[in-house]
Amino acid sequence: MSEKRKDYISWDEYFMGVAILSSKRSKDPSTQVGACIASDENKVITMGYNGMPIGCSDDELPWSREGSPLDTKYLYVCHAEFNAILNSNAPVRGAKLYVTLFPCNECAKAIIQSGIKEVIYLDDKHAEDDSIIASKKLLDMAHITYRKYEGRILDPIFNKEVKDVA
């Protein structure tokens, strides 16, 4: 009998890979975010990426990052975590959320309300923003753990390690 492979990916690598692959569906020209929610039995429950709400044309709404609020994407885009929670056909209570960018305060509220127990994030590039500071405060108060992803970043299509997913 032969031995099993030893170079297979970890659960963290697998679920973060799903989140990274999901981010590739985003049409946002500046920030593509993906999320994957996994059960405590290591099964994918749901996925999401940042984009406009269903039925709202992403050709008619703005993708700009600057300008008056109504002329930027921020009042319109649904975040990856929010979409993953809403896309789920199964409960996410007790699950883990893998996300490519640390969740904002609005997504933290949805994470808390849905019963997710842990957040694993790839990047925290907006750590100094008020929305992220508030997010961490909310997650801490709700006793939801969060940690930076420390595994390899694998290209989900070509199965090779990459340095940057952006």
Side-chain angles (χ1 to χ4, degrees):
M1 181 193 311
S2 60
E3 289 187 31
K4 69 179 181 182
R5 279 181 50 215
K6 293 189 181 358
D7 62 342
Y8 58 89
I9 63 175
S10 70
W11 287 116
D12 271 2
E13 290 169 331
Y14 177 72
F15 296 126
M16 189 57 77
V18 172
I20 292 167
L21 184 60
S22 295
S23 75
K24 304 303 181 192
R25 282 287 309 145
S26 175
K27 296 177 184 174
D28 189 321
S30 59
T31 307
Q32 301 82 45
V33 181
C36 174
I37 300 177
S39 74
D40 58 1
E41 296 173 331
N42 291 319
K43 295 180 180 174
V44 172
I45 299 172
T46 183
M47 297 159 280
Y49 57 89
N50 59 318
M52 298 302 176
I54 293 170
C56 298
S57 173
D58 51 32
D59 291 323
E60 296 177 32
L61 291 170
W63 287 105
S64 178
R65 295 171 59 183
E66 296 179 10
S68 68
L70 291 173
D71 294 328
T72 67
K73 64 183 179 178
Y74 300 111
L75 296 178
Y76 307 104
V77 168
C78 295
H79 289 179
E81 310 91 302
F82 184 72
N83 275 330
I85 291 167
L86 291 177
N87 288 344
S88 182
N89 290 322
V92 296
R93 183 163 301 285
K96 296 180 285 188
L97 168 70
Y98 290 80
V99 64
T100 58
L101 188 61
F102 197 94
C104 72
N105 63 305
E106 293 299 320
C107 289
K109 292 182 226 177
I111 291 164
I112 292 164
Q113 293 299 89
S114 68
I116 290 171
K117 69 175 182 182
E118 183 177 13
V119 174
I120 301 94
Y121 62 92
L122 184 60
D123 194 0
D124 192 11
K125 67 181 179 179
H126 302 294
E128 303 303 317
D129 290 1
D130 288 345
S131 69
I132 302 304
I133 294 168
S135 175
K136 290 176 182 175
K137 184 174 184 175
L138 289 167
L139 294 172
D140 289 341
M141 290 177 79
H143 306 288
I144 295 172
T145 59
Y146 51 90
R147 62 182 165 88
K148 181 163 179 41
Y149 173 76
E150 298 294 340
R152 296 175 296 171
I153 299 172
L154 301 171
D155 182 305
I157 297 172
F158 298 107
N159 194 28
K160 64 180 181 178
E161 191 167 353
V162 295
K163 300 296 179 204
D164 185 17
V165 295

mmCIF file of all heavy atoms in Angstrom, residues 60-100:
data_model
loop_
_atom_site.group_PDB
_atom_site.id
_atom_site.type_symbol
_atom_site.label_atom_id
_atom_site.label_comp_id
_atom_site.label_asym_id
_atom_site.label_seq_id
_atom_site.Cartn_x
_atom_site.Cartn_y
_atom_site.Cartn_z
ATOM 1 N N GLU A 60 -24.421 51.008 -14.612
ATOM 2 C CA GLU A 60 -25.083 52.294 -14.375
ATOM 3 C C GLU A 60 -24.711 52.932 -13.046
ATOM 4 O O GLU A 60 -24.912 54.124 -12.858
ATOM 5 C CB GLU A 60 -26.598 52.115 -14.459
ATOM 6 C CG GLU A 60 -27.073 51.706 -15.847
ATOM 7 C CD GLU A 60 -28.571 51.456 -15.904
ATOM 8 O OE1 GLU A 60 -29.311 52.121 -15.161
ATOM 9 O OE2 GLU A 60 -28.978 50.582 -16.684
ATOM 10 N N LEU A 61 -24.199 52.150 -12.124
ATOM 11 C CA LEU A 61 -23.781 52.675 -10.824
ATOM 12 C C LEU A 61 -22.287 52.971 -10.844
ATOM 13 O O LEU A 61 -21.532 52.336 -11.576
ATOM 14 C CB LEU A 61 -24.127 51.684 -9.710
ATOM 15 C CG LEU A 61 -25.625 51.530 -9.442
ATOM 16 C CD1 LEU A 61 -25.892 50.363 -8.492
ATOM 17 C CD2 LEU A 61 -26.208 52.814 -8.880
ATOM 18 N N PRO A 62 -21.840 53.910 -10.023
ATOM 19 C CA PRO A 62 -20.428 54.322 -10.064
ATOM 20 C C PRO A 62 -19.488 53.326 -9.392
ATOM 21 O O PRO A 62 -19.859 52.663 -8.424
ATOM 22 C CB PRO A 62 -20.436 55.651 -9.301
ATOM 23 C CG PRO A 62 -21.578 55.528 -8.348
ATOM 24 C CD PRO A 62 -22.614 54.707 -9.059
ATOM 25 N N TRP A 63 -18.278 53.255 -9.918
ATOM 26 C CA TRP A 63 -17.204 52.466 -9.316
ATOM 27 C C TRP A 63 -16.102 53.369 -8.769
ATOM 28 O O TRP A 63 -15.080 52.888 -8.280
ATOM 29 C CB TRP A 63 -16.621 51.496 -10.333
ATOM 30 C CG TRP A 63 -17.535 50.349 -10.643
ATOM 31 C CD1 TRP A 63 -18.277 50.176 -11.782
ATOM 32 C CD2 TRP A 63 -17.834 49.234 -9.815
ATOM 33 N NE1 TRP A 63 -18.999 49.015 -11.705
ATOM 34 C CE2 TRP A 63 -18.748 48.413 -10.504
ATOM 35 C CE3 TRP A 63 -17.415 48.839 -8.528
ATOM 36 C CZ2 TRP A 63 -19.250 47.229 -9.969
ATOM 37 C CZ3 TRP A 63 -17.917 47.655 -8.013
ATOM 38 C CH2 TRP A 63 -18.820 46.868 -8.727
ATOM 39 N N SER A 64 -16.296 54.666 -8.819
ATOM 40 C CA SER A 64 -15.280 55.624 -8.395
ATOM 41 C C SER A 64 -15.054 55.565 -6.884
ATOM 42 O O SER A 64 -15.970 55.297 -6.111
ATOM 43 C CB SER A 64 -15.707 57.037 -8.803
ATOM 44 O OG SER A 64 -14.762 57.971 -8.357
ATOM 45 N N ARG A 65 -13.824 55.867 -6.485
ATOM 46 C CA ARG A 65 -13.472 55.937 -5.062
ATOM 47 C C ARG A 65 -13.506 57.371 -4.540
ATOM 48 O O ARG A 65 -13.468 57.580 -3.330
ATOM 49 C CB ARG A 65 -12.073 55.361 -4.856
ATOM 50 C CG ARG A 65 -11.996 53.881 -5.182
ATOM 51 C CD ARG A 65 -10.592 53.370 -5.193
ATOM 52 N NE ARG A 65 -9.948 53.580 -3.904
ATOM 53 C CZ ARG A 65 -8.694 53.287 -3.641
ATOM 54 N NH1 ARG A 65 -7.930 52.773 -4.578
ATOM 55 N NH2 ARG A 65 -8.192 53.504 -2.458
ATOM 56 N N GLU A 66 -13.535 58.333 -5.451
ATOM 57 C CA GLU A 66 -13.483 59.738 -5.047
ATOM 58 C C GLU A 66 -14.603 60.515 -5.689
ATOM 59 O O GLU A 66 -15.078 60.181 -6.771
ATOM 60 C CB GLU A 66 -12.123 60.331 -5.419
ATOM 61 C CG GLU A 66 -10.975 59.671 -4.680
ATOM 62 C CD GLU A 66 -9.627 60.255 -5.063
ATOM 63 O OE1 GLU A 66 -9.584 61.287 -5.750
ATOM 64 O OE2 GLU A 66 -8.618 59.658 -4.672
ATOM 65 N N GLY A 67 -15.024 61.595 -4.997
ATOM 66 C CA GLY A 67 -16.100 62.442 -5.477
ATOM 67 C C GLY A 67 -17.165 62.575 -4.410
ATOM 68 O O GLY A 67 -16.980 62.170 -3.259
ATOM 69 N N SER A 68 -18.287 63.156 -4.779
ATOM 70 C CA SER A 68 -19.379 63.268 -3.804
ATOM 71 C C SER A 68 -19.893 61.862 -3.511
ATOM 72 O O SER A 68 -19.813 60.965 -4.365
ATOM 73 C CB SER A 68 -20.486 64.163 -4.359
ATOM 74 O OG SER A 68 -21.127 63.526 -5.444
ATOM 75 N N PRO A 69 -20.415 61.641 -2.310
ATOM 76 C CA PRO A 69 -20.822 60.287 -1.913
ATOM 77 C C PRO A 69 -21.721 59.573 -2.928
ATOM 78 O O PRO A 69 -21.522 58.379 -3.190
ATOM 79 C CB PRO A 69 -21.546 60.508 -0.587
ATOM 80 C CG PRO A 69 -20.880 61.724 -0.020
ATOM 81 C CD PRO A 69 -20.588 62.593 -1.215
ATOM 82 N N LEU A 70 -22.662 60.269 -3.528
ATOM 83 C CA LEU A 70 -23.571 59.629 -4.476
ATOM 84 C C LEU A 70 -22.899 59.264 -5.795
ATOM 85 O O LEU A 70 -23.453 58.495 -6.584
ATOM 86 C CB LEU A 70 -24.792 60.510 -4.737
ATOM 87 C CG LEU A 70 -25.754 60.659 -3.556
ATOM 88 C CD1 LEU A 70 -26.836 61.684 -3.877
ATOM 89 C CD2 LEU A 70 -26.375 59.320 -3.185
ATOM 90 N N ASP A 71 -21.702 59.797 -6.013
ATOM 91 C CA ASP A 71 -20.963 59.502 -7.234
ATOM 92 C C ASP A 71 -19.822 58.511 -7.006
ATOM 93 O O ASP A 71 -18.967 58.329 -7.879
ATOM 94 C CB ASP A 71 -20.408 60.800 -7.833
ATOM 95 C CG ASP A 71 -21.511 61.721 -8.307
ATOM 96 O OD1 ASP A 71 -22.562 61.208 -8.738
ATOM 97 O OD2 ASP A 71 -21.323 62.956 -8.241
ATOM 98 N N THR A 72 -19.786 57.890 -5.822
ATOM 99 C CA THR A 72 -18.778 56.867 -5.533
ATOM 100 C C THR A 72 -19.459 55.526 -5.289
ATOM 101 O O THR A 72 -20.676 55.454 -5.082
ATOM 102 C CB THR A 72 -17.936 57.219 -4.291
ATOM 103 O OG1 THR A 72 -18.775 57.178 -3.132
ATOM 104 C CG2 THR A 72 -17.290 58.602 -4.427
ATOM 105 N N LYS A 73 -18.678 54.482 -5.259
ATOM 106 C CA LYS A 73 -19.203 53.127 -5.083
ATOM 107 C C LYS A 73 -19.686 52.832 -3.665
ATOM 108 O O LYS A 73 -20.489 51.931 -3.453
ATOM 109 C CB LYS A 73 -18.121 52.110 -5.451
ATOM 110 C CG LYS A 73 -16.893 52.161 -4.535
ATOM 111 C CD LYS A 73 -15.831 51.176 -4.984
ATOM 112 C CE LYS A 73 -14.612 51.269 -4.082
ATOM 113 N NZ LYS A 73 -13.588 50.305 -4.458
ATOM 114 N N TYR A 74 -19.223 53.592 -2.685
ATOM 115 C CA TYR A 74 -19.390 53.224 -1.285
ATOM 116 C C TYR A 74 -20.837 53.127 -0.802
ATOM 117 O O TYR A 74 -21.131 52.336 0.088
ATOM 118 C CB TYR A 74 -18.579 54.168 -0.397
ATOM 119 C CG TYR A 74 -17.110 54.104 -0.728
ATOM 120 C CD1 TYR A 74 -16.467 55.177 -1.330
ATOM 121 C CD2 TYR A 74 -16.372 52.953 -0.481
ATOM 122 C CE1 TYR A 74 -15.116 55.107 -1.666
ATOM 123 C CE2 TYR A 74 -15.028 52.870 -0.803
ATOM 124 C CZ TYR A 74 -14.413 53.954 -1.395
ATOM 125 O OH TYR A 74 -13.083 53.884 -1.729
ATOM 126 N N LEU A 75 -21.725 53.893 -1.361
ATOM 127 C CA LEU A 75 -23.128 53.832 -0.938
ATOM 128 C C LEU A 75 -23.913 52.723 -1.640
ATOM 129 O O LEU A 75 -25.071 52.476 -1.307
ATOM 130 C CB LEU A 75 -23.816 55.181 -1.162
ATOM 131 C CG LEU A 75 -23.276 56.354 -0.334
ATOM 132 C CD1 LEU A 75 -24.006 57.637 -0.689
ATOM 133 C CD2 LEU A 75 -23.383 56.062 1.161
ATOM 134 N N TYR A 76 -23.284 52.041 -2.576
ATOM 135 C CA TYR A 76 -23.991 51.074 -3.408
ATOM 136 C C TYR A 76 -23.481 49.634 -3.300
ATOM 137 O O TYR A 76 -24.278 48.696 -3.384
ATOM 138 C CB TYR A 76 -23.928 51.503 -4.881
ATOM 139 C CG TYR A 76 -24.407 52.910 -5.109
ATOM 140 C CD1 TYR A 76 -23.503 53.946 -5.342
ATOM 141 C CD2 TYR A 76 -25.759 53.218 -5.078
ATOM 142 C CE1 TYR A 76 -23.944 55.247 -5.550
ATOM 143 C CE2 TYR A 76 -26.209 54.518 -5.286
ATOM 144 C CZ TYR A 76 -25.289 55.525 -5.521
ATOM 145 O OH TYR A 76 -25.732 56.810 -5.720
ATOM 146 N N VAL A 77 -22.195 49.461 -3.149
ATOM 147 C CA VAL A 77 -21.593 48.124 -3.202
ATOM 148 C C VAL A 77 -21.948 47.293 -1.971
ATOM 149 O O VAL A 77 -21.923 47.787 -0.847
ATOM 150 C CB VAL A 77 -20.053 48.232 -3.341
ATOM 151 C CG1 VAL A 77 -19.372 46.898 -3.117
ATOM 152 C CG2 VAL A 77 -19.683 48.773 -4.702
ATOM 153 N N CYS A 78 -22.261 46.025 -2.208
ATOM 154 C CA CYS A 78 -22.428 45.041 -1.135
ATOM 155 C C CYS A 78 -21.079 44.347 -0.943
ATOM 156 O O CYS A 78 -20.484 43.877 -1.907
ATOM 157 C CB CYS A 78 -23.471 43.991 -1.506
ATOM 158 S SG CYS A 78 -25.141 44.618 -1.686
ATOM 159 N N HIS A 79 -20.631 44.300 0.285
ATOM 160 C CA HIS A 79 -19.334 43.697 0.575
ATOM 161 C C HIS A 79 -19.396 42.173 0.496
ATOM 162 O O HIS A 79 -20.465 41.561 0.638
ATOM 163 C CB HIS A 79 -18.850 44.135 1.944
ATOM 164 C CG HIS A 79 -18.438 45.569 1.984
ATOM 165 N ND1 HIS A 79 -17.982 46.182 3.120
ATOM 166 C CD2 HIS A 79 -18.409 46.523 1.014
ATOM 167 C CE1 HIS A 79 -17.685 47.454 2.854
ATOM 168 N NE2 HIS A 79 -17.938 47.673 1.580
ATOM 169 N N ALA A 80 -18.245 41.569 0.311
ATOM 170 C CA ALA A 80 -18.138 40.114 0.133
ATOM 171 C C ALA A 80 -18.708 39.340 1.320
ATOM 172 O O ALA A 80 -19.430 38.349 1.136
ATOM 173 C CB ALA A 80 -16.673 39.727 -0.084
ATOM 174 N N GLU A 81 -18.394 39.788 2.532
ATOM 175 C CA GLU A 81 -18.866 39.092 3.731
ATOM 176 C C GLU A 81 -20.387 39.145 3.817
ATOM 177 O O GLU A 81 -21.050 38.146 4.123
ATOM 178 C CB GLU A 81 -18.283 39.726 5.001
ATOM 179 C CG GLU A 81 -16.790 39.934 4.982
ATOM 180 C CD GLU A 81 -16.387 41.301 4.437
ATOM 181 O OE1 GLU A 81 -16.730 41.639 3.283
ATOM 182 O OE2 GLU A 81 -15.709 42.039 5.157
ATOM 183 N N PHE A 82 -20.926 40.323 3.562
ATOM 184 C CA PHE A 82 -22.375 40.549 3.574
ATOM 185 C C PHE A 82 -23.044 39.646 2.534
ATOM 186 O O PHE A 82 -24.035 38.974 2.828
ATOM 187 C CB PHE A 82 -22.616 42.034 3.289
ATOM 188 C CG PHE A 82 -24.041 42.481 3.358
ATOM 189 C CD1 PHE A 82 -24.698 42.585 4.567
ATOM 190 C CD2 PHE A 82 -24.720 42.826 2.204
ATOM 191 C CE1 PHE A 82 -26.018 43.021 4.636
ATOM 192 C CE2 PHE A 82 -26.039 43.269 2.252
ATOM 193 C CZ PHE A 82 -26.693 43.364 3.482
ATOM 194 N N ASN A 83 -22.496 39.613 1.331
ATOM 195 C CA ASN A 83 -23.041 38.759 0.274
ATOM 196 C C ASN A 83 -22.956 37.283 0.648
ATOM 197 O O ASN A 83 -23.901 36.524 0.410
ATOM 198 C CB ASN A 83 -22.330 39.010 -1.055
ATOM 199 C CG ASN A 83 -22.935 40.168 -1.814
ATOM 200 O OD1 ASN A 83 -24.125 40.444 -1.710
ATOM 201 N ND2 ASN A 83 -22.107 40.860 -2.582
ATOM 202 N N ALA A 84 -21.843 36.860 1.228
ATOM 203 C CA ALA A 84 -21.702 35.456 1.613
ATOM 204 C C ALA A 84 -22.766 35.070 2.638
ATOM 205 O O ALA A 84 -23.398 34.015 2.518
ATOM 206 C CB ALA A 84 -20.302 35.190 2.165
ATOM 207 N N ILE A 85 -22.993 35.923 3.619
ATOM 208 C CA ILE A 85 -24.009 35.640 4.638
ATOM 209 C C ILE A 85 -25.388 35.576 3.993
ATOM 210 O O ILE A 85 -26.162 34.650 4.234
ATOM 211 C CB ILE A 85 -23.951 36.689 5.769
ATOM 212 C CG1 ILE A 85 -22.653 36.514 6.578
ATOM 213 C CG2 ILE A 85 -25.185 36.578 6.673
ATOM 214 C CD1 ILE A 85 -22.329 37.674 7.507
ATOM 215 N N LEU A 86 -25.698 36.553 3.152
ATOM 216 C CA LEU A 86 -27.020 36.585 2.519
ATOM 217 C C LEU A 86 -27.203 35.471 1.493
ATOM 218 O O LEU A 86 -28.330 35.016 1.267
ATOM 219 C CB LEU A 86 -27.259 37.936 1.851
ATOM 220 C CG LEU A 86 -27.431 39.120 2.800
ATOM 221 C CD1 LEU A 86 -27.595 40.401 2.013
ATOM 222 C CD2 LEU A 86 -28.606 38.921 3.732
ATOM 223 N N ASN A 87 -26.133 35.015 0.856
ATOM 224 C CA ASN A 87 -26.204 33.960 -0.153
ATOM 225 C C ASN A 87 -26.433 32.575 0.445
ATOM 226 O O ASN A 87 -26.771 31.642 -0.279
ATOM 227 C CB ASN A 87 -24.907 33.893 -0.974
ATOM 228 C CG ASN A 87 -24.749 35.049 -1.923
ATOM 229 O OD1 ASN A 87 -25.685 35.763 -2.222
ATOM 230 N ND2 ASN A 87 -23.523 35.239 -2.401
ATOM 231 N N SER A 88 -26.231 32.436 1.737
ATOM 232 C CA SER A 88 -26.266 31.113 2.349
ATOM 233 C C SER A 88 -27.672 30.529 2.392
ATOM 234 O O SER A 88 -28.632 31.205 2.750
ATOM 235 C CB SER A 88 -25.705 31.176 3.771
ATOM 236 O OG SER A 88 -25.706 29.886 4.327
ATOM 237 N N ASN A 89 -27.752 29.249 2.043
ATOM 238 C CA ASN A 89 -28.995 28.496 2.172
ATOM 239 C C ASN A 89 -29.001 27.674 3.455
ATOM 240 O O ASN A 89 -29.950 26.947 3.715
ATOM 241 C CB ASN A 89 -29.191 27.569 0.967
ATOM 242 C CG ASN A 89 -29.501 28.357 -0.283
ATOM 243 O OD1 ASN A 89 -30.207 29.355 -0.247
ATOM 244 N ND2 ASN A 89 -28.951 27.912 -1.402
ATOM 245 N N ALA A 90 -27.932 27.764 4.222
ATOM 246 C CA ALA A 90 -27.800 27.014 5.470
ATOM 247 C C ALA A 90 -27.364 27.975 6.576
ATOM 248 O O ALA A 90 -26.774 29.018 6.296
ATOM 249 C CB ALA A 90 -26.773 25.903 5.299
ATOM 250 N N PRO A 91 -27.639 27.623 7.810
ATOM 251 C CA PRO A 91 -27.189 28.491 8.914
ATOM 252 C C PRO A 91 -25.667 28.619 8.934
ATOM 253 O O PRO A 91 -24.954 27.666 8.617
ATOM 254 C CB PRO A 91 -27.684 27.757 10.162
ATOM 255 C CG PRO A 91 -28.705 26.786 9.700
ATOM 256 C CD PRO A 91 -28.371 26.451 8.288
ATOM 257 N N VAL A 92 -25.188 29.790 9.311
ATOM 258 C CA VAL A 92 -23.745 30.010 9.419
ATOM 259 C C VAL A 92 -23.313 30.134 10.876
ATOM 260 O O VAL A 92 -22.146 30.386 11.148
ATOM 261 C CB VAL A 92 -23.300 31.255 8.599
ATOM 262 C CG1 VAL A 92 -23.558 31.042 7.114
ATOM 263 C CG2 VAL A 92 -23.971 32.521 9.091
ATOM 264 N N ARG A 93 -24.234 29.951 11.805
ATOM 265 C CA ARG A 93 -23.922 30.025 13.240
ATOM 266 C C ARG A 93 -22.810 29.031 13.572
ATOM 267 O O ARG A 93 -22.867 27.868 13.201
ATOM 268 C CB ARG A 93 -25.165 29.716 14.061
ATOM 269 C CG ARG A 93 -24.949 29.837 15.555
ATOM 270 C CD ARG A 93 -26.235 29.931 16.330
ATOM 271 N NE ARG A 93 -27.070 31.064 15.941
ATOM 272 C CZ ARG A 93 -26.842 32.343 16.256
ATOM 273 N NH1 ARG A 93 -25.777 32.656 16.959
ATOM 274 N NH2 ARG A 93 -27.658 33.282 15.865
ATOM 275 N N GLY A 94 -21.769 29.538 14.238
ATOM 276 C CA GLY A 94 -20.646 28.703 14.636
ATOM 277 C C GLY A 94 -19.600 28.499 13.559
ATOM 278 O O GLY A 94 -18.605 27.799 13.783
ATOM 279 N N ALA A 95 -19.792 29.099 12.407
ATOM 280 C CA ALA A 95 -18.883 28.896 11.273
ATOM 281 C C ALA A 95 -17.687 29.852 11.323
ATOM 282 O O ALA A 95 -17.629 30.764 12.150
ATOM 283 C CB ALA A 95 -19.643 29.090 9.964
ATOM 284 N N LYS A 96 -16.753 29.620 10.395
ATOM 285 C CA LYS A 96 -15.580 30.475 10.223
ATOM 286 C C LYS A 96 -15.726 31.230 8.903
ATOM 287 O O LYS A 96 -16.154 30.662 7.900
ATOM 288 C CB LYS A 96 -14.296 29.650 10.175
ATOM 289 C CG LYS A 96 -14.001 28.900 11.452
ATOM 290 C CD LYS A 96 -12.728 28.100 11.338
ATOM 291 C CE LYS A 96 -12.969 26.874 10.494
ATOM 292 N NZ LYS A 96 -11.861 25.919 10.468
ATOM 293 N N LEU A 97 -15.355 32.499 8.927
ATOM 294 C CA LEU A 97 -15.388 33.343 7.739
ATOM 295 C C LEU A 97 -13.961 33.608 7.285
ATOM 296 O O LEU A 97 -13.141 34.120 8.055
ATOM 297 C CB LEU A 97 -16.079 34.674 8.048
ATOM 298 C CG LEU A 97 -15.944 35.780 7.004
ATOM 299 C CD1 LEU A 97 -16.733 35.423 5.754
ATOM 300 C CD2 LEU A 97 -16.406 37.108 7.566
ATOM 301 N N TYR A 98 -13.664 33.232 6.057
ATOM 302 C CA TYR A 98 -12.381 33.530 5.423
ATOM 303 C C TYR A 98 -12.628 34.685 4.474
ATOM 304 O O TYR A 98 -13.532 34.617 3.639
ATOM 305 C CB TYR A 98 -11.859 32.317 4.653
ATOM 306 C CG TYR A 98 -11.418 31.198 5.564
ATOM 307 C CD1 TYR A 98 -12.346 30.328 6.132
ATOM 308 C CD2 TYR A 98 -10.070 31.019 5.878
ATOM 309 C CE1 TYR A 98 -11.949 29.311 6.979
ATOM 310 C CE2 TYR A 98 -9.666 30.001 6.726
ATOM 311 C CZ TYR A 98 -10.608 29.158 7.277
ATOM 312 O OH TYR A 98 -10.209 28.153 8.122
ATOM 313 N N VAL A 99 -11.844 35.739 4.593
ATOM 314 C CA VAL A 99 -12.079 36.925 3.774
ATOM 315 C C VAL A 99 -10.745 37.555 3.387
ATOM 316 O O VAL A 99 -9.784 37.521 4.166
ATOM 317 C CB VAL A 99 -13.013 37.919 4.512
ATOM 318 C CG1 VAL A 99 -12.373 38.457 5.789
ATOM 319 C CG2 VAL A 99 -13.497 39.030 3.607
ATOM 320 N N THR A 100 -10.683 38.112 2.189
ATOM 321 C CA THR A 100 -9.415 38.641 1.695
ATOM 322 C C THR A 100 -9.085 40.026 2.249
ATOM 323 O O THR A 100 -7.935 40.456 2.164
ATOM 324 C CB THR A 100 -9.392 38.674 0.151
ATOM 325 O OG1 THR A 100 -10.479 39.463 -0.332
ATOM 326 C CG2 THR A 100 -9.493 37.256 -0.410
#
